[in-house]
């Protein structure tokens, strides 16, 4: 019964998020959104709060065109000092504790030869998500709300052209659920497949607390390459494990969202979700 409800409700909530985002800052009433989802306002409120983590009203407050700039002004993280200000304390506000294993440069150069990558489609609060994994852990996470499933699969598969791909969504079911559960994803095993420079950038992304943002320039400085801002931006865009390695928390120094490999509407939804959750956590004694 729970699996049946999940397969129905997650896509519905993803559609609700997409509808809220398409309003481009215009406040939608609970009754208006619920009607479009063919649900009563009370039922929709309960479902949305359960699956997304915050109420529709709270979510809308953060999903605005100016939200990125306000985040940069109010929740900007200097990576070198994040630890000093207590962001890694008992509140577990960030994802530094993800367990991951990086490939050696030699393994990366072999373009996935000798690896078996299992893959499957799953539901998420941000639309359909493709998960690819090795025996070690998750090596790919792609969102298809904007790109479509075929393009998302082709994108990830092209990164490891010599690997063997096996469709096996059932083997990933537990990981798929944990990936979007509050706090649970901190212990998910990852298998990062990338060049050494990319690995450094992705490791820096893990130091950005949930609900906070930083800039590409800050990331470049954190890895000891302050002039490599453009290269850092490219590496951020090539992050194969979106959401778990939080590339959506990297913004331009101007406060612009910058790019996002899986679509800006997905990035806005992720930032809004995290900021709303953090605000609610701070407000709760």
């Amino acid at each position: 019964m729970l699996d049946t409800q999940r397969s129905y409700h997650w896509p519905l909530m993803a559609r609700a998020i997409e509808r809220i985002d398409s309003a481009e800052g215009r406040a939608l009433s609970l009754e208006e959104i619920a009607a479009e989802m063919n649900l009563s306002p009370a039922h929709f409120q309960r479902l949305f709060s359960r699956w997304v983590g915050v109420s529709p009203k709270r979510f809308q407050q953060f999903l605005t065109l100016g939200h990125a700039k306000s985040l940069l002004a109010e929740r900007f993280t200097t990576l070198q000092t994040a630890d000093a200000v207590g962001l890694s304390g008992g509140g577990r506000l960030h994802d530094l504790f993800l367990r991951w294993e990086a490939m050696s440069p030699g393994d990366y150069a072999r373009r996935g030869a000798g690896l078996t990558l299992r893959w499957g489609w799953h539901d998420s609060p941000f639309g359909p998500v493709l998960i690819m994994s090795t025996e070690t852990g998750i090596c790919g996470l792609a969102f298809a709300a904007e790109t479509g499933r075929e393009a998302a699969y082709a994108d990830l598969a092209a990164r490891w052209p010599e690997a063997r791909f096996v469709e096996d969504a059932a083997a990933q079911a537990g990981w798929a659920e944990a990936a979007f559960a509050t706090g649970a994803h901190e212990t998910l095993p990852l298998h990062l497949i990338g060049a050494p420079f990319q690995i450094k950038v992705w490791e820096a992304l893990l130091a950005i607390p949930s609900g906070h943002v930083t800039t590409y320039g800050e990331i470049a400085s954190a890895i000891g390459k302050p002039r490599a801002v453009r290269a850092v931006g490219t590496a951020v865009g090539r992050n194969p494990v979106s959401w778990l390695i939080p590339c959506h928390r990297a913004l331009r120094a101007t406060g612009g969202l910058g790019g996002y490999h899986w679509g800006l509407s997905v990035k806005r939804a992720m930032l809004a979700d995290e900021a709303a959750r953090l605000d609610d956590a701070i407000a709760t004694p």
Side-chain angles (χ1 to χ4, degrees), residues 34-118:
E36 293 190 28
M37 301 299 117
N38 294 315
L39 297 172
S40 71
H43 190 199
F44 174 73
Q45 171 98 349
R46 286 194 301 271
L47 285 177
F48 192 94
S49 299
R50 176 186 175 191
W51 294 108
V52 180
V54 294
S55 70
K57 181 178 180 180
R58 293 287 292 156
F59 189 81
Q60 286 191 83
Q61 290 173 355
F62 288 91
L63 196 63
T64 64
L65 295 178
H67 179 50
K69 289 185 178 180
S70 65
L71 274 178
L72 198 60
E74 299 169 11
R75 292 179 178 167
F76 171 70
T77 294
T78 301
L79 297 181
Q80 293 92 331
T81 60
D83 241 15
V85 296
L87 293 175
S88 59
R92 298 179 71 81
L93 296 180
H94 59 75
D95 307 323
L96 274 177
F97 303 105
L98 277 167
R99 292 184 290 112
W100 59 277
E101 177 181 330
M103 296 190 76
S104 70
D107 288 338
Y108 173 71
R110 284 192 285 273
R111 293 153 46 98
L115 280 178
T116 295
L117 269 58
R118 301 189 181 277

Side-chain angles (χ1 to χ4, degrees), residues 46-265:
R46 286 194 301 271
L47 285 177
F48 192 94
S49 299
R50 176 186 175 191
W51 294 108
V52 180
V54 294
S55 70
K57 181 178 180 180
R58 293 287 292 156
F59 189 81
Q60 286 191 83
Q61 290 173 355
F62 288 91
L63 196 63
T64 64
L65 295 178
H67 179 50
K69 289 185 178 180
S70 65
L71 274 178
L72 198 60
E74 299 169 11
R75 292 179 178 167
F76 171 70
T77 294
T78 301
L79 297 181
Q80 293 92 331
T81 60
D83 241 15
V85 296
L87 293 175
S88 59
R92 298 179 71 81
L93 296 180
H94 59 75
D95 307 323
L96 274 177
F97 303 105
L98 277 167
R99 292 184 290 112
W100 59 277
E101 177 181 330
M103 296 190 76
S104 70
D107 288 338
Y108 173 71
R110 284 192 285 273
R111 293 153 46 98
L115 280 178
T116 295
L117 269 58
R118 301 189 181 277
W119 64 274
W121 286 100
H122 304 271
D123 296 320
S124 88
F126 312 110
V129 61
L130 171 65
I131 296 180
M132 288 189 176
S133 59
T134 67
E135 291 184 358
T136 301
I138 296 174
C139 65
L141 215 69
F143 294 89
E146 283 198 20
T147 64
R149 296 193 179 204
E150 289 186 9
Y153 177 87
D155 187 307
L156 280 189
R159 303 182 189 214
W160 314 293
E162 303 302 323
R164 173 174 171 261
F165 294 90
V166 177
E167 185 175 6
D168 191 358
Q172 303 168 336
W175 284 349
E177 183 171 356
F180 301 99
T182 303
H185 64 278
E186 294 176 356
T187 58
L188 280 174
L190 302 183
H191 191 179
L192 296 188
I193 303 175
F197 179 83
Q198 292 174 325
I199 295 292
K200 286 184 178 180
V201 171
W202 301 339
E203 186 175 25
L205 289 170
L206 287 172
I208 308 171
S210 179
H212 294 70
V213 295
T214 196
T215 63
Y216 299 107
E218 275 290 316
I219 295 171
S221 296
I223 65 170
K225 303 286 185 181
R227 296 186 179 181
V229 177
R230 186 181 296 272
V232 163
T234 300
V236 169
R238 294 297 291 171
N239 166 28
V241 193
S242 298
W243 178 249
L244 298 180
I245 303 294
C247 51
H248 58 280
R249 298 175 193 162
L251 305 178
R252 291 175 177 163
T254 59
L257 282 175
Y260 189 64
H261 199 75
W262 308 113
L264 287 181
S265 66

Side-chain angles (χ1 to χ4, degrees), residues 12-36:
L12 187 67
M13 293 305 100
R15 187 156 60 89
I17 289 173
E18 182 180 0
R19 176 65 184 93
I20 292 171
D21 183 52
S22 69
E24 297 185 344
R26 182 177 70 84
L28 302 175
S29 69
L30 177 64
E31 291 73 18
E32 184 178 355
I33 309 173
E36 293 190 28

